[in-house]
Amino acid sequence: MESTASLDKTAHAGFDPARSAPASPVICIEPTRGWVAVKLKELWDYRELLYFLVWRDVKVRYKQTVLGAAWALLQPLFTMLVFSIFFGRLAGIPSDGVPYPLFALAALIPWTFFANALGQSSNSLVNSAHLIAKVYFPRLVIPLASVLGGLVDLAVACSLFVPMLLYYGITPGWGILWLPGFVLLAMVTALGVGLWASALNVEYRDVRHVIPFATQIWMFMTPVAYPGSLVPERWRLLYNLNPMSGVVDGFRWALLGAGAPPGLPLLASVFASLTLLVTGAFYFRRMEKTFADRL
Amino acid sequence: MLTGCRKALPMNDLAIRVRGLGKQYRIGGGNRGPYRSLREAISDTFRFPFRRRPNPDEETSFWALNNVSFDIRRGEAVGVIGRNGAGKSTLLKILSRITEPTTGRVELYGRVGSLLEVGTGFHPELTGRENIFLNGAILGMRRSEIARKFDEIVAFAEIERFLDTPVRFYSSGMYMRLAFAVAAHLEPEILIVDEVLAVGDSGFQKKCLGKMENIAQHGRTVLFVSHSMQAIRRLTTSCLVLSGGEVVYDGPTAGAIREYERLQRLATETASTYVANPPPRHSHVAQASVITSGPYGQHEWGHPLTFRFTLHFTESSQHFTFSFQVMDEQERPVIHCYYIHPVTKADYALGPVERGTYQVECHLPHPRLYMGRYTVTTWLTNRRSNQLIEKLSGILAFEVTMHEQPREEYERHPGEAAYVEDWAWSPVQPVEVGV
């Protein structure tokens, strides 16, 4: 939007009306053209707003639903049951030597987080139209808050692993320390796509109909119901350009020791997801100035 | 850019400097609505692969703000006044960095806080306490700052007992008090305030006005938009008057209010009367006026309303009929008054008239129209030949106000009702449910 340093600390620190004004403006507002900087510094200045928006979303979500936290458990739990019956039992899909229910759950939990985060963030700007029309803050805060809000659900859902691992008598190895890294990868991917989708959603209102459909297709392109090892070796690198396959493989390896340890395919996933994030952030910033007028 | 800002060396005590500011809005061109669809965008790309984007000039556009320049000194309280659509909101939105200007430049010498609305981001499910923190953060306060002012905010809003109740259980008065209380404790160096004082009961309004006065006296720069000339007079020393997106006056408040009232008169004076100019060759309405309780088409609710028409007939007939409709802002007819003979009440026609000019009045002793703006549509027909001779629409603009009907708790808003009816409730009584 505006085109200069947001807050020139030296210029306005120790405000005293009796003193003479600073020589240079604190804020300059001018029309901008084309691509603009992402301005991470300003985003950092607004971290408290980000915190409160996440806090609000989580609080309201848990207050408003009858089931509250149980909702975050039921969604992956039931999907796991359905997958186990239809894909595991009836279709007899292999599961890299781990019990199929556990195999499915290890993928469904990060996938559910990703799908919800993407769904929430792609509609986040449209849902916050009122805020955008009345208050200034870096708009990046809004999709970011929707993605971060999903982390609480993810943490709740992860508690499902404890009884499941105990039941099947599986003890995770040191690989489990990698888990936060895979969560981060899922977050970065969701945010990257979320930035594109939310900004496009302001300009083109039919994007919101495309997202659920695209998410569904995406799930089948990700080894959620089947092992990634089914994909022929020569296609594997290309297949792993889908960052979510890196996340799902990673979760399975970290928790269950199934599949190969992180290697080149994971690097492909990281590369793809960072590309999504960076391009998404720049596209978002480019479109940002039109948000208030379009919403 | 930062370097651009550094170049400017302003006067020492400047708070806001605006140069050549303009904002162009597009009104969706062609058959396209406000939003495009991705499907359209994709199919357009295939149909016109080499055209980058429709030229903005091809679409209908208008300048909401045009070449606006002014300076505001530190510690000054400046009012912005103007009729609806003059560009006030657009100016505030640009200064608040909500929307970007199309041309020009603004320099702000200080931390800016803007209140375009109170209670932005309030969530009905959250408690009063939670909303104070949330709303404070949205307005740009630090958490520590909110915590420090928390007790003061609660005391100002007078909601101590309901602090841990979700705000959806609040009365609208309590809600607005809390919302304003948070906003009033924002302490930036430059404060931009839109019409937010018009909240709550009159007692609370006075308190808010006092608070605002306080802010202005403490050396902060305040830019204040209001339709209340009383508030403008009390809070500001100088004003900008906007009209049609341009600054038409920049100076002391007294002169600004005179200018505003002159513009107001100009706009309504011409609108609340109608003169056929040039007069058509067929029978027609030569003049029309609406006689409202106040001057310039301002009408206070409940007072009698009179419509006066001068009709000119170019032929003699006993089959002319005349009627008019009062239309609301959405062009919906609200009242239809057709001529009936005052004594016989039988015939809808005007009766036998010769060639010439006649006057007729329609009197509404107790109009119940709710507050809002209205216009009149007239119908002059010949029933025998079943011919519509003349239809005028959008004439006799008048505005119904409800200043004499204040409501406790919260003030009346346009669009809440079409009419104010007489009503009577029975007292609430317990009833047996079931058998």
Side-chain angles (χ1 to χ4, degrees):
Chain A
M1 286 208 50
E2 87 300 349
S3 58
T4 184
S6 61
L7 296 172
D8 186 342
K9 285 279 154 40
T10 52
H12 75 89
F15 166 70
D16 171 8
R19 255 178 34 188
S20 63
S24 62
V26 175
I27 300 161
C28 242
I29 304 170
E30 276 180 323
T32 57
R33 265 192 193 88
W35 303 101
V36 285
V38 175
K39 292 210 289 192
L40 293 175
K41 165 80 173 57
E42 192 182 23
L43 202 57
W44 176 250
D45 285 338
Y46 278 85
R47 63 191 179 277
E48 285 195 350
L49 176 63
L50 176 65
Y51 164 79
F52 275 110
L53 290 179
V54 173
W55 169 83
R56 176 197 66 180
D57 286 349
V58 171
K59 196 138 195 167
V60 169
R61 192 156 4 129
Y62 281 68
K63 251 185 197 177
Q64 259 176 343
T65 55
V66 187
L67 296 169
W71 192 243
L73 294 173
L74 289 177
Q75 207 184 344
L77 193 65
F78 277 100
T79 322
M80 177 193 77
L81 285 176
V82 171
F83 274 33
S84 300
I85 294 167
F86 291 96
F87 294 125
R89 273 292 157 77
L90 298 180
I93 286 175
S95 54
D96 282 347
V98 234
Y100 188 89
L102 205 48
F103 172 83
L105 189 69
L108 281 169
I109 284 180
W111 179 263
T112 308
F113 163 72
F114 170 76
N116 287 343
L118 176 55
Q120 297 275 347
S121 61
S122 60
N123 282 323
S124 62
L125 287 176
V126 174
N127 292 340
S128 305
H130 190 71
L131 217 53
I132 290 171
K134 296 290 179 189
V135 192
Y136 171 77
F137 51 87
R139 308 310 187 195
L140 277 164
V141 165
I142 292 179
L144 189 55
S146 337
V147 171
L148 291 177
L151 282 178
V152 179
D153 282 353
L154 176 70
V156 172
C158 276
S159 69
L160 280 176
F161 284 127
V162 179
M164 288 290 286
L165 288 170
L166 283 175
Y167 179 82
Y168 287 103
I170 293 176
T171 319
W174 287 109
I176 199 169
L177 295 178
W178 279 70
L179 214 53
F182 296 120
V183 172
L184 188 66
L185 182 59
M187 262 176 59
V188 168
T189 312
L191 184 62
V193 184
L195 289 176
W196 275 101
S198 59
L200 280 167
N201 205 357
V202 176
E203 186 89 351
Y204 310 108
R205 290 302 168 91
D206 50 354
V207 169
R208 65 162 71 210
H209 305 299
V210 177
I211 294 295
F213 173 69
T215 311
Q216 207 166 15
I217 304 280
W218 197 337
M219 188 182 83
F220 288 104
M221 284 164 50
T222 304
V224 176
Y226 58 90
S229 54
L230 283 189
V231 178
E233 194 64 47
R234 60 199 169 101
W235 296 112
R236 202 62 67 74
L237 206 61
L238 192 66
Y239 183 74
N240 268 278
L241 275 177
N242 164 13
M244 283 314 288
S245 69
V247 171
V248 164
D249 283 344
F251 256 72
R252 281 188 182 134
W253 172 79
L255 280 167
L256 315 171
L264 201 58
L266 181 65
L267 275 181
S269 291
V270 170
F271 171 75
S273 108
L274 286 178
T275 307
L276 279 172
L277 181 67
V278 172
T279 56
F282 277 98
Y283 178 71
F284 188 94
R285 285 283 296 144
R286 186 194 166 103
M287 299 312 287
E288 188 174 319
K289 63 176 172 183
T290 64
F291 291 166
D293 298 335
R294 295 229 174 221
L295 284 169
Chain B
M1 292 291 115
L2 189 66
T3 49
C5 276
R6 293 274 181 220
K7 262 185 266 167
L9 279 174
M11 288 178 288
N12 244 7
D13 56 350
L14 209 57
I16 303 176
R17 176 199 184 100
V18 173
R19 287 291 174 273
L21 201 64
K23 174 80 183 177
Q24 186 180 34
Y25 280 109
R26 281 179 204 146
I27 320 165
N31 49 8
R32 203 194 288 148
Y35 316 119
R36 301 184 67 190
S37 78
L38 193 57
R39 191 174 46 75
E40 275 171 11
I42 292 169
S43 64
D44 279 358
T45 313
F46 283 109
R47 274 190 295 164
F48 316 106
F50 302 111
R51 200 168 74 185
R52 253 182 73 79
R53 197 169 288 183
N55 186 345
D57 296 333
E58 285 171 22
E59 297 174 84
T60 339
S61 61
F62 77 100
W63 289 87
L65 220 52
N66 199 1
N67 198 18
V68 167
S69 301
F70 59 87
D71 288 321
I72 292 176
R73 282 210 286 274
R74 278 231 268 184
E76 239 184 330
V78 177
V80 179
I81 52 183
R83 296 170 44 77
N84 285 332
K88 302 185 302 281
S89 317
T90 307
L91 178 62
L92 290 205
K93 276 192 172 177
I94 293 174
L95 294 180
S96 312
R97 297 192 284 165
I98 287 163
T99 186
E100 201 177 72
T102 314
T103 63
R105 160 194 184 86
V106 177
E107 292 166 12
L108 298 164
Y109 298 85
R111 205 161 67 101
V112 181
S114 57
L115 289 179
L116 299 198
E117 181 192 65
V118 293
T120 309
F122 261 41
H123 199 290
E125 291 295 330
L126 299 177
T127 66
R129 182 190 303 277
E130 291 165 341
N131 270 310
I132 290 176
F133 279 94
L134 176 63
N135 188 230
I138 287 172
L139 292 177
M141 288 191 232
R142 300 243 165 244
R143 188 147 50 136
S144 52
E145 192 183 344
I146 307 166
R148 188 156 44 77
K149 292 178 184 161
F150 188 81
D151 293 335
E152 219 180 307
I153 293 173
V154 175
F156 190 88
E158 304 159 21
I159 53 138
E160 289 88 343
R161 286 192 303 135
F162 305 98
L163 210 44
D164 293 305
T165 310
V167 298
R168 70 189 162 102
F169 295 117
Y170 281 26
S171 71
S172 51
M174 281 162 66
Y175 186 94
M176 292 316 292
R177 285 208 302 275
L178 179 62
F180 187 85
V182 182
H185 288 79
L186 187 66
E187 287 179 347
E189 292 146 35
I190 301 171
L191 184 62
I192 297 172
V193 190
D194 202 352
E195 195 94 59
V196 289
L197 294 176
V199 301
D201 51 71
S202 56
F204 190 71
Q205 275 188 27
K206 283 204 188 80
K207 200 167 157 182
C208 297
L209 219 56
K211 181 83 191 172
M212 290 291 303
E213 222 166 15
N214 216 3
I215 293 173
Q217 279 162 7
H218 277 73
R220 273 186 229 110
T221 312
V222 182
L223 201 63
F224 177 63
V225 164
S226 182
H227 283 109
S228 158
M229 290 304 122
Q230 204 189 338
I232 287 282
R233 204 169 269 138
R234 182 165 162 188
L235 291 177
T236 68
T237 48
S238 61
C239 282
L240 298 168
V241 181
L242 293 182
S243 178
E246 291 176 27
V247 177
V248 293
Y249 178 96
D250 181 356
T253 299
I257 292 178
R258 273 198 301 279
E259 176 63 17
Y260 171 74
E261 283 169 348
R262 193 184 66 82
L263 288 171
Q264 188 85 336
R265 264 200 309 279
L266 211 66
T268 42
E269 209 165 20
T270 46
S272 59
T273 57
Y274 167 83
V275 178
N277 185 25
R281 301 170 80 93
H282 53 72
S283 300
H284 62 270
V285 177
Q287 280 179 37
S289 57
V290 52
I291 298 147
T292 49
S293 71
Y296 318 120
Q298 298 287 310
H299 185 75
E300 177 60 29
W301 183 87
H303 290 266
L305 195 56
T306 303
F307 296 88
R308 182 180 294 153
F309 301 95
T310 307
L311 307 174
H312 181 79
F313 297 103
T314 52
E315 55 180 334
S316 309
S317 168
Q318 42 183 316
H319 300 289
F320 286 120
T321 66
F322 180 73
S323 75
F324 68 93
Q325 289 170 300
V326 176
M327 318 288 266
D328 70 7
E329 272 175 286
Q330 280 88 47
E331 293 289 309
R332 287 178 302 213
V334 197
I335 304 177
H336 188 198
C337 300
Y338 36 88
Y339 178 80
I340 309 176
H341 192 276
V343 182
T344 64
K345 301 210 187 277
D347 199 349
Y348 294 153
L350 295 171
V353 290
E354 302 293 317
R355 261 188 70 149
T357 309
Y358 297 81
Q359 194 178 68
V360 64
E361 273 186 12
C362 182
H363 187 68
L364 277 65
H366 307 290
R368 285 180 283 204
L369 289 175
Y370 189 72
M371 64 190 268
R373 290 166 209 279
Y374 298 91
T375 58
V376 168
T377 301
T378 63
W379 304 82
L380 181 62
T381 62
N382 188 317
R383 211 160 41 147
R384 166 60 68 77
S385 57
N386 210 8
Q387 179 199 5
L388 174 61
I389 301 166
E390 188 189 48
K391 178 193 172 190
L392 298 170
S393 48
I395 62 164
L396 306 189
F398 65 99
E399 183 173 5
V400 176
T401 56
M402 297 184 75
H403 298 313
E404 291 170 16
Q405 317 288 326
R407 193 159 60 181
E408 286 296 305
E409 282 296 310
Y410 76 107
E411 80 165 28
R412 296 176 191 274
H413 293 284
E416 280 177 349
Y419 280 117
V420 180
E421 284 291 348
D422 293 331
W423 71 66
W425 285 90
S426 70
V428 176
Q429 280 171 337
V431 287
E432 296 282 334
V433 183
V435 185

